[in-house]
Amino acid sequence: YKEHAYRNHALIKSWVKSGGPNHVHHLSILDAEQAALLSCMQKSKSKEVCKLYEKAIVDSVRGGFVNHAALTEERYADYLLEMDDKQEGIYHLENAIKRYSDWGAMRKV
């Protein structure tokens, strides 16, 4: 699976480099997820991971992808809760719920 993931990451990165604005947030999300996996394996919270998730959320919102912003908020909350940062984790989970609601995903909410 790693090889497949790396190939897809490289493909999306090439789309962004060639000027594909609809893929910027995808790359940001993948970068955050990849960094979070490494951080979780090391069992230590990373400021870099937090910055990557925040960038992915901003990129998703700027691109008009509310659904992806909601998913990224949810994944960021999962990461923070895994790192025992309950206050920030709950904050981002509440943001995810709001974004899902804004998107109209009431069953998810």
Side-chain angles (χ1 to χ4, degrees):
Y1 292 106
K2 281 184 183 180
E3 184 180 321
H4 188 68
Y6 288 127
R7 271 188 302 194
N8 285 334
H9 187 268
L11 179 63
I12 292 170
K13 194 173 196 175
S14 73
W15 292 340
V16 170
K17 280 187 177 184
S18 68
N22 291 336
H23 302 292
V24 171
H25 72 289
H26 288 130
L27 184 60
S28 297
I29 294 167
L30 288 175
D31 289 341
E33 286 293 308
Q34 185 177 28
L37 279 171
L38 294 173
S39 177
C40 286
M41 288 171 59
Q42 297 169 353
K43 303 222 186 285
S44 65
K45 185 177 169 188
S46 164
K47 288 182 182 180
E48 181 64 24
V49 172
C50 295
K51 287 179 186 177
L52 289 169
Y53 271 120
E54 289 165 11
K55 180 183 182 317
I57 293 164
V58 168
D59 288 348
S60 296
V61 170
R62 283 187 182 158
F65 299 99
V66 178
N67 54 331
H68 293 163
L71 176 63
T72 305
E73 289 271 15
E74 182 180 0
R75 295 294 302 140
Y76 187 19
D78 288 344
Y79 169 75
L80 292 167
L81 293 170
E82 181 73 25
M83 295 293 113
D84 288 325
D85 189 344
K86 291 182 182 172
Q87 185 175 359
E88 280 294 307
I90 290 169
Y91 171 78
H92 285 283
L93 193 54
E94 289 171 347
N95 283 351
I97 290 167
K98 169 133 178 37
R99 292 185 192 281
Y100 280 125
S101 180
D102 291 346
W103 183 44
M106 299 316 289
R107 287 191 181 211
K108 178 72 173 178
V109 171

